[in-house]
Amino acid sequence: MRALVRGLAGSFASAICSGPLAEPISLELAQWQHQAYIALLRKLLPGGVVELPADDRHPDCCFIEDTAVVAGHTAIITRIGAPSRQGEEAPVAAALAELGYAVTRMTPPATLDGGDVLQLPGSTHVPVGMSKRTNAEGISQLAKALPGRAVHAVPLPHGLHLKSLVTALDAHTLLIADTPAGRALSAILASNPLLNGAIKGPRPSPRLQHVFVPDPICANVLLLGDRHVVTQGSDAATEALLDVLCAERGLQLHRLPRATEFIKADGALTCCSILLPDGA
Ligand code: GLY
């Protein structure tokens, strides 16, 4: 596996933020946090990291996950839901084509952010958040373009992206923010029999286990293959929970310093990379 990342724009302090900030974004601290993230990926990924240059015209360009959905040999270039972010996808499309992916592009009126697309390990079923950024046409175009996958639209009235609230720890376990929005999402996911009954894995799994994470930020972990999980610093209860869950599953947990400046811009760990599994 390798990862595609993008440099941090000099304009990152102007990134989109959903709420008022008690403290403005510190570019210097953000640069340090971003470098720590990339250094860890370089250490953990045998295929290395491809880093695209930042574009100061796009303060949010480090959130590269939103620009493309990669599955097998296919890369679907999205139309990002925030108009100010449209254009971030062009160099990503060029890089994925250069790396040998079959690149297809979404067309208007579709909008979709990659942060709404939850690819579950070992499953052909893909929940996609119907969020403020991702519309029904975006989900429809994704469903047509994703080879051999069944796409499920999941209503997401709260939160920025689906993966702001939920990520997979393994083929059997979802980490979900322990907030009213996370609890509501859990009920929606649990009520979908296709999402619950279709998980393939080494152990029989009639349904996905939902684990509620006290620190909502840490419901977003970066799963690298079937061995490494990346999280960030949190409260003691959340850190202990993730330690136990990973130990039980034979996963190595790597804890980055808390990404305070990215959290201010509604960013999470998965937002800053596109993972490229081997064999594509
Ligand atoms: N700041 C990330 C986003 O709004 O897309």
Side-chain angles (χ1 to χ4, degrees), residues 16 60 63 85 133 160 265:
I16 304 170
D60 288 277
F63 299 126
R85 295 191 57 191
R133 298 285 178 83
L160 178 58

Side-chain angles (χ1 to χ4, degrees), residues 214 246 253:
C246 288
L253 183 63

Side-chain angles (χ1 to χ4, degrees), residues 5 7 20 34 68 113 150 156 171 181 183 189 200-201 235 274:
V5 301
H34 197 235
D113 284 7
L156 196 73
R183 294 266 170 184
L189 294 173
K200 293 185 214 143
D235 57 76
I274 296 173

Side-chain angles (χ1 to χ4, degrees), residues 185-193 195-196 207 210:
L185 175 64
S186 169
I188 292 168
L189 294 173
S191 69
N192 184 327
L195 287 176
N196 276 321
R207 52 178 292 140
H210 292 190

Side-chain angles (χ1 to χ4, degrees), residues 9 21 70 141 150 185 230 247:
L21 299 181
V70 173
Q141 289 188 19
L185 175 64
V230 180

